Amino acid sequence: MRQTRKLLVRTIAAGGGILILLLTVFAGWRARRALQLSAEEVHAEREIRFESHPFAPPLGTSFELVSAPAVFLQAARFQDHLYIGGPGGLLEYDLKGAPSRQFIPGRDLPPSPLVALAEALLADSREPELVVATVQDGLLAFDGRSFRQIRPQDSEARGITAILPASAGHLLIGTRKRGVLIYDGKHLAPLHPSLNSLYVTALAGTESDLWIGTINQGVFHWHAGVVDSFGEEQGLPDRQVQCLATSGGKSYVGTVLGVAVFDGGRFSYVLAPGVLATSLLATDSNLMVGSEDQGVLTIPINSAQLEPRRPHSNKTAELAKVRQFFVSGNDVYVLSSDALYRMSTSGLGWQQVLRPGPAILSDRNISALAADRSGRVWIGYFDRGLDLLEADAGRATHMEDDHVFCINRIVTDVRTGTVAVATANGLLRFDSNGGRQQVLTRADGLIADHVTDVAIYRDGLVAGTPAGLTFLDGGGPRSMYAFHGLVNNHVYALGVSGDELMVGTLGGLSEINKEIVQASYTAGVRSGLKHNWITAVVPVGDEWMVGTYGAGILKLDRAGRFQTFEKATAPFEVNPNAMLVTQHHVLAGSLGNGLYVYDRDAARWTVITEGLPSLNVTALAESNGTIYAGTDNGLAKIVEQKLYP
C-alpha cells in the first residue's frame, strides 16, 4: 500500500513536472511568437508598399508636343548603345552618336522628367536592365524592348533624385523627402532610420560603406551600422553637396564651393576651392572635376596630396554645365547639359560625340501663356524671357533681357492688339507686332517692381504685386493695399467681369467694384472658403471659379457663397493663374496632379494626365480652337474637341 502511494506521488510529481515543462515551453513559444509578430509589425511599418508591372504607354493620346530643347542630365551605355536621360525623356544613340529611338514623357513614358540612369541586374529580373529614375513616378526598368514600372504608393517615395546599384541585385535610392531607400526585388524600405527625411542629391560607395550627399545638410557616411555626418564645421566647403566619388580608400565630396577629400572616412583637405562642382571622376592618378561654368578640371592626385590648395590644371573651359562623367570600357565620357564628349585617344582634350537636334522653343520651363488676335502664342518662361510662337507652331522668335525675364503673366487686349506682360522686374507693354512700347516699374508709379498678375480693367490695366494693386489708366497710377480694405497685400491673381474685379491674395479673396472694396472672403465655416491662399480666379457666366493653393477649386456664386466640387475640391494646388475659360470648358493646371477640365454643359470635372510631358501644368491658353498647356517640362497642345477621348 505504501509502495502504491509512493508510486502515485511520483507519478503526480512527474506529471506536474511535465506540465510545468509544457507550460514553460508554451510560454517561451508565445514570447518568441510575440517577438516575431512585433518584428514583422515593425518591418511592415518601415516597408513602403509599391507596385511592379509592365508599363503600358497611353493609347491614342491627342496631345501634340511642341519641340523644346533637350536637356541632358545622365547617360549610360547599355546593350552597346548610348542612352541619355533628362526632362525631355530617354534618347537612344548608337556608339557613333547617330540617333536611334526616343522615348518621350507622357507618350512613351510616365509624365515625369527623368533624373538618373544606371545599368543593373536587379533581384527581380533575369537579365541586366537600364534602370531609369523619374522625378515623381518612381522607377522604370528597360530591357531594350519594353519598360516595367516600380511605383511606390507613397508619393514622397516616388520623388527620386539618385540611384546606385548595390550587391545581390539590390538598388539604393535617394529621394527628396524620404532619405535613402533600398529595393531588393520584393521589398522597398528605408535603409536606416537615421537617414530618413534627408533631401538626397548624390550616392556613392556600397551598401555597407555608403556616402550620401544632401541639398543642405552636408554629407553622411553610413558604414558598419554607424552614421557620421560632416558639414562646414568638419571641413566641408559648403553644406550643399552636388556630387560624390570614391576610389582607393578616398572619398570625394563635390559642393558648390569646392571638393572635400576624405581619407579612411576622415576629412583630409579641400581641392578646387570656390569651384561649383557638378560631377566627379576619380582614378588612381587624377581627379576630374566637372563644373557649372569652368568646364572640366583635371587635378593630379599625388600633387594634390602634397599641395592641397594647389591651382587647378588642364582646365577645359569650352565645356560648360557638366553633368556627369562615366567610364565605358576604355573610354571616358563627359556629359554636359547639351552634348556628350569622349576623351580623345591621345588623352588630350574632348571630342564631341553627339548633340541634340534643333528645337522650336527656347526653354522647357513655361510659366505663362497667351494667344493674340493674329493667332500667335506668347510663351513666358520661368527664367528665359519670351517666345512668340507663330500660328502654325513652326517657328518662334525669342526675346530676353533684364526686364523680359522671369515671366509671371501675359494678357492680350483684344481691343487694341497690345500685350501686357507681368514680370519679376516690372510691367511691359508690347504692340500688336511684338515691339516693346513701355516698361513700368516703381519709378513709374507701380507699388512694387515685382508684378505677379495683370488684367485689362475698365479703360486701362490693373497690376497685382506682393505689395498690393496699382490701377493704370488716363488718370495716372493709383495704388490700393490693406489700408484701403484689401484683404491682404500679397496679390497672386486677378479676375475681371465688367466693373467687377476679383483679387486673389495670400490671405483670401477681395471683391472690388470701381476701385472700391465691396466684400472680402477668408477661410472659415461661415464663408465656405476652404483655403486663404488664392492662386487663380476667372469669371464663368455670372459666377466665379476660384483656384487655391491647397484646397483645389471652388465656385463662388452671385450670393457670395462658396460651393465645392466632388472631384476638384481636394487637397491639391492650382498653379498661379493657370486657369482658362472657353465656351464649353473651364481648365485648371495643378501642381503635380495634371490638367483639370470642367465640362460647362455637364457641370462635371475630369482630370487629364495622359499625353502631358509633366503633371505640373503651369499655364493655359486657347487659340483658334486649340488648347495650349504649358508645363515645367514643355508645351503640349490639343484640339479642344479632343479633350475627352
Side-chain angles (χ1 to χ4, degrees):
M1 187 65 132
R2 186 176 298 173
Q3 290 180 348
T4 303
R5 192 175 297 170
K6 287 182 179 179
L7 182 60
L8 180 60
V9 170
R10 289 176 182 173
T11 302
I12 293 172
I18 293 171
L19 179 61
I20 292 171
L21 179 62
L22 290 173
L23 289 173
T24 303
V25 171
F26 179 70
W29 176 84
R30 288 191 63 180
R32 288 193 299 273
R33 180 61 178 163
L35 287 173
Q36 181 182 351
L37 290 174
S38 177
E40 290 176 355
E41 288 175 2
V42 170
H43 182 74
E45 288 177 0
R46 292 182 62 239
E47 191 169 324
I48 298 170
R49 297 180 181 273
F50 68 94
E51 299 174 351
S52 179
H53 51 73
F55 176 73
L59 298 175
T61 175
S62 298
F63 280 99
E64 298 178 39
L65 300 183
V66 181
S67 67
V71 178
F72 294 166
L73 290 181
Q74 280 212 334
R77 181 170 172 173
F78 176 65
Q79 295 181 349
D80 287 330
H81 281 75
L82 295 171
Y83 288 86
I84 300 178
L90 185 65
L91 307 177
E92 179 186 354
Y93 299 86
D94 65 23
L95 296 181
K96 295 181 179 179
S100 301
R101 290 182 291 181
Q102 184 176 10
F103 304 95
I104 298 175
R107 189 192 71 183
D108 313 295
L109 304 173
S112 176
L114 311 183
V115 292
L117 307 177
E119 182 179 356
L121 177 57
L122 298 180
D124 55 346
S125 178
R126 296 180 179 179
E127 59 181 330
E129 296 171 297
L130 182 66
V131 181
V132 182
T134 75
V135 168
Q136 60 191 30
D137 254 313
L139 297 166
L140 296 167
F142 181 57
D143 62 6
R145 302 175 298 277
S146 60
F147 293 88
R148 62 187 180 98
Q149 187 175 17
I150 303 164
R151 190 176 191 271
Q153 293 183 8
D154 181 354
S155 61
E156 292 185 349
R158 295 198 296 267
I160 300 175
T161 55
I163 53 176
L164 179 66
S167 60
H170 294 178
L171 183 72
L172 297 168
I173 304 168
T175 69
R176 289 194 299 272
K177 295 184 178 181
R178 293 296 302 269
V180 183
L181 309 178
I182 184 167
Y183 177 71
D184 66 2
K186 294 182 179 180
H187 306 284
L188 177 67
L191 179 65
H192 191 268
S194 63
L195 304 175
N196 291 354
S197 303
L198 297 178
Y199 189 129
V200 178
T201 55
L203 299 171
T206 66
E207 189 174 336
S208 58
D209 188 5
L210 181 67
W211 290 82
I212 303 116
T214 71
I215 197 167
N216 58 10
Q217 295 177 257
V219 67
F220 291 77
H221 182 204
W222 157 260
H223 58 107
V226 177
V227 177
D228 299 324
S229 62
F230 302 90
E232 292 166 311
E233 300 83 1
Q234 292 78 31
L236 213 62
D238 192 89
R239 300 179 73 87
Q240 184 174 340
V241 177
Q242 300 280 102
C243 49
L244 298 166
T246 59
S247 177
K250 288 188 172 62
S251 301
Y252 303 89
V253 181
T255 77
V256 295
L257 289 175
V259 181
V261 182
F262 290 79
D263 194 344
R266 295 183 178 183
F267 172 77
S268 185
Y269 52 85
V270 173
L271 290 174
V275 172
L276 199 169
T278 54
S279 184
L280 298 171
L281 178 64
T283 66
D284 294 337
S285 57
N286 294 319
L287 176 70
M288 292 184 181
V289 181
S291 73
E292 183 70 19
D293 56 359
Q294 298 188 46
V296 176
L297 291 68
T298 304
I299 306 173
I301 295 295
N302 293 333
S303 299
Q305 290 175 332
L306 296 174
E307 303 176 65
R309 307 187 72 86
R310 179 178 180 273
H312 330 310
S313 63
N314 293 343
K315 186 184 296 182
T316 310
E318 64 268 18
L319 282 172
K321 296 183 178 180
V322 174
R323 295 293 172 256
Q324 180 196 11
F325 293 103
F326 72 98
V327 178
S328 178
N330 297 322
D331 295 324
V332 176
Y333 292 87
V334 59
L335 184 73
S336 72
S337 62
D338 62 356
L340 178 67
Y341 300 84
R342 181 171 49 220
M343 175 71 78
S344 66
T345 53
S346 63
L348 299 175
W350 299 89
Q351 297 175 338
Q352 183 177 300
V353 177
L354 60 89
R355 185 182 293 273
I360 295 173
L361 303 184
S362 300
D363 199 60
R364 308 190 69 87
N365 196 353
I366 296 170
S367 56
L369 291 172
D372 63 23
R373 62 186 185 184
S374 69
R376 288 180 306 186
V377 178
W378 292 60
I379 304 168
Y381 297 110
F382 181 74
D383 60 359
R384 284 296 314 276
L386 286 167
D387 272 353
L388 272 63
L389 181 66
E390 296 300 326
D392 61 1
R395 65 183 184 90
T397 303
H398 186 65
M399 293 184 287
E400 182 178 346
D401 59 32
D402 290 342
H403 289 287
V404 186
F405 193 81
C406 194
I407 311 300
N408 292 321
R409 178 74 148 159
I410 307 170
V411 174
T412 58
D413 189 339
V414 295
R415 302 169 301 183
T416 62
T418 57
V419 178
V421 179
T423 80
N425 300 313
L427 178 64
L428 289 75
R429 300 185 73 178
F430 294 84
D431 61 28
S432 58
N433 295 318
R436 188 185 308 182
Q437 289 182 325
Q438 193 177 25
V439 178
L440 300 174
T441 64
R442 284 188 64 185
D444 304 294
L446 292 182
I447 195 170
D449 285 335
H450 188 169
V451 183
T452 53
D453 197 6
V454 62
I456 312 297
Y457 183 60
R458 304 182 74 191
D459 295 327
L461 299 173
V462 57
T465 79
L469 297 172
T470 299
F471 296 92
L472 300 162
D473 55 28
R478 303 172 304 284
S479 293
M480 173 185 289
Y481 47 97
F483 176 79
H484 304 94
L486 200 64
V487 68
N488 187 279
N489 283 338
H490 199 139
V491 177
Y492 275 91
L494 303 171
V496 175
S497 178
D499 288 336
E500 278 189 286
L501 172 65
M502 284 292 185
V503 183
T505 76
L506 188 62
L509 183 69
S510 284
E511 178 184 345
I512 295 174
N513 193 299
K514 297 179 180 178
E515 301 184 30
I516 299 174
V517 176
Q518 303 293 325
S520 289
Y521 307 91
T522 56
V525 177
R526 294 183 61 185
S527 71
L529 182 60
K530 301 295 183 182
H531 203 292
N532 277 332
W533 190 345
I534 310 299
T535 53
V537 54
V538 293
V540 183
D542 60 353
E543 299 177 322
W544 298 88
M545 288 288 188
V546 180
T548 72
Y549 199 86
I553 305 162
L554 300 103
K555 180 170 70 174
L556 178 63
D557 63 23
R558 298 302 300 176
R561 296 186 298 265
F562 284 92
Q563 299 179 16
T564 61
F565 296 100
E566 181 180 355
K567 184 173 290 187
T569 306
F572 70 89
E573 294 76 29
V574 176
N575 276 315
N577 294 306
M579 291 189 84
L580 172 70
V581 181
T582 70
Q583 182 178 352
H584 299 289
H585 300 99
V586 181
L587 300 98
S590 74
L591 177 62
N593 283 34
L595 179 64
Y596 283 71
V597 181
Y598 181 72
D599 186 323
R600 297 177 62 178
D601 296 326
R604 183 180 65 249
W605 284 96
T606 303
V607 184
I608 297 176
T609 58
E610 293 184 349
L612 294 169
S614 170
L615 297 185
N616 185 12
V617 180
T618 54
L620 296 160
E622 184 273 336
S623 178
N624 298 322
T626 296
I627 302 294
Y628 290 83
T631 76
D632 63 350
N633 192 31
L635 179 65
K637 63 177 185 174
I638 186 172
V639 175
E640 185 174 1
Q641 294 177 344
K642 296 182 179 179
L643 277 172
Y644 304 113

